């Protein structure tokens, strides 16, 4: 029996090594079971004369292999580097309200594109697993942009009737399209620190 166990162990180890080598050879990503965090992108919108207002969204561009974000389990491996979307809520009115005009967002749709009442900016790209908590991610934003800045959260948009929205929001600040960025969510396990 003592001779069989070491042989079985060696056979199992060799089989695992061969399977890993074969998977790498054909390009299978073995990281699929790795922890993932949620990312958003810039959502193209058709409102005119918004100045430096950007609509950021789960459904923003670029897509992740043709898909939107996954707000329930994350969509991007936490070992990847992405910028962090930071927000400073300062109560500023939306450009439409400040100009005295009606919102260009159709009634009933502002749940997905509400006004965050502040300014947004991106940090440099960092690994999602760099942060052990949302407090650490908030501190990262503050260290990059100053007091009052924090990591943006999935529900930061406000609707015209004064309730919280989700899945996207508008804020002042030019965010370049072309990359995904880390965004927190406070009621699901889709953060790298969960």
């Amino acid at each position: 029996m003592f001779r069989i166990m070491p042989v079985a162990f060696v056979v199992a180890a060799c089989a695992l090594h061969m399977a890993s080598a074969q998977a790498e050879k054909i390009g299978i990503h073995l990281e699929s079971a790795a922890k993932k965090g949620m990312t958003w992108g810039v959502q193209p919108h058709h409102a005119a004369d918004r100045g430096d207002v950007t609509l950021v969204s789960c459904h923003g561009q670029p897509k992740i292999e043709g898909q939107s974000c996954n707000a329930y389990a994350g969509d991007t491996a936490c070992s990847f580097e992405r910028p962090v979307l930071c927000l400073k809520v300062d109560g500023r009115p939306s450009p439409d309200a400040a100009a005295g005009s009606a919102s260009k967002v159709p009634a009933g749709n502002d749940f997905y594109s509400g006004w965050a009442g502040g300014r947004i900016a991106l940090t440099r790209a960092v690994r999602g697993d760099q942060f052990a908590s949302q407090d650490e991610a908030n501190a990262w934003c503050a260290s990059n942009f100053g007091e009052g800045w924090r990591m943006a959260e999935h529900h930061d948009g406000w609707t015209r009737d004064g309730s919280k929205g989700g899945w996207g929001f508008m804020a002042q600040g030019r965010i370049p399209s072309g990359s995904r960025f880390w965004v927190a969510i406070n009621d699901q396990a889709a953060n790298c620190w969960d």
Side-chain angles (χ1 to χ4, degrees):
M1 178 168 175
F2 292 106
R3 291 179 157 229
I4 295 172
M5 285 184 72
V7 171
F9 177 76
V10 170
V11 169
C14 288
L16 179 61
H17 177 71
M18 288 172 38
S20 295
Q22 185 64 21
E24 285 181 32
K25 184 177 178 183
I26 61 174
I28 295 174
H29 295 284
L30 298 176
E31 198 173 348
S32 62
K35 177 65 182 152
K36 294 182 178 181
M38 183 180 67
T39 62
W40 282 12
V42 172
Q43 180 68 39
H45 58 97
H46 305 289
D49 302 321
R50 288 202 179 271
D52 67 343
V53 171
T54 301
L55 174 57
V56 290
S57 169
C58 170
H59 311 295
Q61 301 292 330
K63 298 286 188 189
I64 305 160
E65 297 179 3
Q67 302 295 312
S68 296
C69 80
N70 184 329
Y72 304 102
D75 50 70
T76 301
C78 293
S79 60
F80 288 5
E81 290 189 350
R82 300 286 183 265
V84 175
L85 181 66
C86 300
L87 171 69
K88 181 176 184 179
V89 176
D90 57 14
R92 69 182 63 202
S94 73
D96 295 328
S101 63
S103 174
K104 293 177 178 56
V105 178
N109 288 347
D110 64 342
F111 179 87
Y112 304 102
S113 59
W115 179 245
R119 185 160 186 76
I120 51 176
L122 292 178
T123 69
R124 66 176 172 81
V126 294
R127 287 175 57 121
D129 56 13
Q130 171 177 319
F131 309 113
S133 68
Q134 188 163 354
D135 288 341
E136 286 187 13
N138 291 342
W140 173 250
C141 286
S143 72
N144 276 266
F145 302 114
E147 186 177 339
W149 285 84
R150 62 168 173 81
M151 186 177 192
E153 199 273 330
H154 183 83
H155 304 94
D156 273 327
W158 290 90
T159 65
R160 281 190 282 296
D161 67 5
S163 60
K164 284 290 211 175
W167 302 96
F169 63 82
M170 291 187 288
Q172 205 136 27
R174 291 192 188 274
I175 302 297
S177 58
S179 74
R180 303 289 291 185
F181 33 84
W182 300 115
V183 174
I185 185 164
N186 64 13
D187 61 356
Q188 299 294 327
N191 304 293
C192 289
W193 54 80
D194 289 325

